[in-house]
Amino acid sequence: MRYILTLLFALAMVVPLSAQNNEPRQEERAEGHKEEQKKFDPERYQRELEAFICREACLTKQEAQAFFPLYREMQQKQRAIYTKMKVFDKAALCDNKAAEAVIAAYDEREIAIKKLQQQYHKQFVKVMPATKVLKFIRAEERFNRNMMRNFSRRPQQPQLQHHPNKNK
């Protein structure tokens, strides 16, 4: 009798567990589908960014035609600065001299980006009113902030953190 009750109890525990295992698989499939939809598409990003800027800065068609080639040129030069300055070295996390060099390179990159933006902002004012340039600057910041916020809401796999100073 005791054996039968234990067997029934074990069976009663296994049935709900197998039913629960099917649900995550369906959710994983749905998550995978959502994941495919949310992959970063640079062309789509650029189209949405330009449409947002046009709308927020109230650009006319003529202003947009004069502005966006300059803007794309600025973006290309910014990307070149970012890719050229990939100096982050894991050794810098443990070595003060290397860390100082990385910090200096990081600061130089940020200064170069700001100088580039300043140079192009002066060119933008030549093709459209300064009020629209200011609206563009704010719109670009708002768009990128919203994109990052949406990107961070995506479900992500937990990642292991490596702490070089922690002893296990």
Side-chain angles (χ1 to χ4, degrees), residues 16-17 33 44 67 69-70 72 88 92 96 98 115 132 138:
L17 289 177
H33 184 65
R44 180 176 170 218
F67 168 74
L70 285 172
R72 289 185 205 110
F88 182 74
N96 279 330
K115 285 182 178 178
K132 290 190 178 189
R138 290 181 177 164

Side-chain angles (χ1 to χ4, degrees), residues 148-165:
M148 290 305 291
R149 192 175 298 135
N150 291 339
F151 185 75
S152 67
R153 288 183 184 149
R154 289 173 55 186
Q156 297 177 354
Q157 301 268 335
Q159 296 178 355
L160 297 175
Q161 297 291 328
H162 176 67
H163 299 285
N165 294 336

